[in-house]
């Protein structure tokens, strides 16, 4: 059985891999600014700091809102008849989270909410849905959503 030779020189990498890596770097620079892109875990690591902020948000720290978790049922304050399920948090703030390639940001389409709000990703499940995979995700600023049903017991201690 022959083992494929792993490229050792950048010139030997497939063009798709090189292009993919360059696109990731450019995306990181566009979001964080060139000076904020670090891989060494330094203090100005924008991605790491936003993850820490998301964890703090989940614990309800620093804001006068109740905490929110993946799986919680939430309502849009502008459409209280629709119940949604939280499926994710994004590390980008509303003013940086684009809706589609080069499209408007969450902040652009929600000007009445803070541009620095956290972004919550939700789906609109149907009563008869057996799974949420493949459902279209929608992004909302955190302050637009209200928790109406919890999935997790927040009173129990979390252990590592």
């Amino acid at each position: 059985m022959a083992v494929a030779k792993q490229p050792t020189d950048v010139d030997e990498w497939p063009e798709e891999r090189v292009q993919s890596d360059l696109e990731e770097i450019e995306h990181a620079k566009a979001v964080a600014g060139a000076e904020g892109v670090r891989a060494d875990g330094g203090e100005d690591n924008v991605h790491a700091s936003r993850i820490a902020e998301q964890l703090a948000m989940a614990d309800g720290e620093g804001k006068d809102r109740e905490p929110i978790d993946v799986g919680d049922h939430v309502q849009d304050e502008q459409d209280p008849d629709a119940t949604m399920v939280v499926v994710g948090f994004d590390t980008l703030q509303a003013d940086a989270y684009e809706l589609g390639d080069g499209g408007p940001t969450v902040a652009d389409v929600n000007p009445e909410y803070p541009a620095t709000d956290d972004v919550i990703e939700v789906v609109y499940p149907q009563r008869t849905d057996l799974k949420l995979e493949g459902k279209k995700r929608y992004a909302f600023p955190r302050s637009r959503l209200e928790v109406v049903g919890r999935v997790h017991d927040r009173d129990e201690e979390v252990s590592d």
Side-chain angles (χ1 to χ4, degrees), residues 73 83 124-132 135:
H73 293 222
T83 299
Y124 291 87
Q126 299 298 311
R127 185 176 49 86
T128 56
D129 284 342
L130 298 176
K131 60 183 178 175
L132 298 178
K135 301 280 294 177

Side-chain angles (χ1 to χ4, degrees), residues 49-61:
S49 66
R50 285 298 294 149
I51 289 173
E53 288 174 24
Q54 291 293 334
L55 292 172
M57 179 191 69
D59 289 334
E61 294 176 13

Side-chain angles (χ1 to χ4, degrees), residues 4-24:
K5 179 184 165 220
Q6 196 70 341
T8 56
D9 186 6
V10 173
D11 293 333
E12 297 177 31
W13 286 0
E15 179 64 28
E16 299 84 29
R17 178 174 176 186
V18 173
Q19 188 61 36
S20 174
D21 289 347
L22 290 173
E23 288 172 2
E24 285 183 36

Side-chain angles (χ1 to χ4, degrees), residues 45-94:
N45 188 329
V46 174
H47 183 70
S49 66
R50 285 298 294 149
I51 289 173
E53 288 174 24
Q54 291 293 334
L55 292 172
M57 179 191 69
D59 289 334
E61 294 176 13
K63 300 194 178 164
D64 294 332
R65 313 181 198 142
E66 61 184 319
I68 189 168
D69 297 303
V70 169
D72 286 347
H73 293 222
V74 294
Q75 282 181 335
D76 176 2
E77 73 174 18
Q78 294 183 9
D79 182 14
D81 293 333
T83 299
M84 303 167 284
V85 175
V86 175
V87 293
F89 301 97
D90 201 275
T91 57
L92 297 176
Q93 293 179 347

Side-chain angles (χ1 to χ4, degrees), residues 94-133:
D95 59 355
Y97 187 106
E98 290 182 352
L99 303 170
D101 275 345
T105 65
V106 169
D108 291 338
V109 298
N110 293 280
E112 61 276 18
Y113 298 97
T116 58
D117 221 355
D118 295 306
V119 174
I120 308 296
E121 295 176 342
V122 302
V123 296
Y124 291 87
Q126 299 298 311
R127 185 176 49 86
T128 56
D129 284 342
L130 298 176
K131 60 183 178 175
L132 298 178
E133 295 168 4

